[in-house]
Amino acid sequence: SLHDALPIFVGDVFASAGRHVTKVKIKELRERYDIDLCIANCENAASGRGITEKIAADLFNNGIDVLTGGNHLWDRKESFSYLKMERRIVKPANYPKKAIGFNYFISTTSKGKVAIINLCGQAFMNVANSPFIVLEELIEEIDDKVDYIFVDFHAEATSEKQSLGRYLDGWISAMFGT
């Protein structure tokens, strides 16, 4: 059971205030609660839009293991080359295949292998492929490689998050909405 070593998810690290909170709290929380895996959404970490290599490095150095994105992940053109190589930053997998970044990351924890997937909603957002179809394909691709699957569903509409959560019940370990 993953319950023995707690994972933590931090939604939308926003600008300098969000980065400050992660710097002050994440390491403390990891120690206090024996947190084995820390995932954070970083799409607004750089002044509220996008991520930079320096900011990502700071987040990783402050105890975050994996970063997920969203529709603003690519707002900093100076970060494109970094997003092409940093596997621990996960782009929305339902964006076009040519979108820079990786569709998932597999983290090895004391309780097993955890796949972290990021998806974007379609309601009130930029055009994206169906998160339902894309996630089915990804699950088929990675299911036999991992023990747990975590999904960050970055969407505007609560109803869309609830629909995907109900649809995925029994297929994944946890879904977080940012």
Side-chain angles (χ1 to χ4, degrees), residues 71 121 123-125 154-158 160-161 178:
N71 55 310
F124 313 112
M125 299 283 281
H154 186 77
E156 294 291 337
T158 301
E160 190 175 23
K161 293 175 190 178
T178 59

Side-chain angles (χ1 to χ4, degrees), residues 1-174:
S1 160
L2 196 59
H3 299 323
D4 298 334
L6 295 172
I8 188 173
F9 181 82
V10 180
D12 271 351
V13 174
F14 189 86
S16 60
R19 295 191 318 265
H20 175 73
V21 170
T22 62
K23 185 176 185 175
V24 172
K25 289 292 181 184
I26 295 299
K27 286 182 181 178
E28 173 191 329
L29 290 170
R30 287 190 79 135
E31 287 179 23
R32 183 185 305 163
Y33 297 106
D34 191 28
I35 293 170
D36 202 19
L37 176 64
C38 182
I39 306 162
N41 182 283
C42 71
E43 73 134 11
N44 292 311
S47 301
R49 296 197 72 113
I51 185 78
T52 67
E53 182 174 355
K54 180 186 180 318
I55 289 171
D58 287 344
L59 293 170
F60 290 136
N61 288 334
N62 289 319
I64 295 173
D65 299 303
V66 182
L67 296 168
T68 59
N71 55 310
H72 294 296
L73 182 63
W74 304 277
D75 284 0
R76 304 282 174 159
K77 289 182 181 171
E78 68 270 22
S79 298
F80 286 4
S81 61
Y82 182 65
L83 292 172
K84 286 179 185 176
M85 61 170 237
E86 180 52 74
R87 295 201 60 83
R88 295 173 297 169
I89 300 177
V90 183
K91 72 170 184 169
N94 60 325
Y95 267 54
K97 290 183 193 257
K98 289 186 178 185
I100 297 168
F102 299 93
N103 288 338
Y104 62 88
F105 181 77
I106 297 176
S107 179
T108 301
T109 72
S110 65
K111 298 299 176 189
K113 292 187 180 213
V114 179
I116 297 94
I117 299 172
N118 181 217
L119 298 165
C120 268
Q122 293 180 301
F124 313 112
M125 299 283 281
N126 299 337
V127 176
N129 296 316
S130 167
F132 295 82
I133 294 169
V134 170
L135 192 55
E136 276 187 40
E137 292 168 358
L138 280 175
I139 288 172
E140 285 180 25
E141 179 182 333
I142 64 173
D143 195 38
D144 62 341
K145 298 176 188 173
V146 299
D147 302 295
Y148 307 97
I149 299 174
F150 289 173
V151 175
D152 170 15
F153 188 38
H154 186 77
E156 294 291 337
T158 301
S159 59
E160 190 175 23
K161 293 175 190 178
Q162 290 173 336
S163 295
L164 187 62
R166 287 187 178 112
Y167 179 72
L168 295 173
D169 187 22
W171 282 20
I172 65 171
S173 307

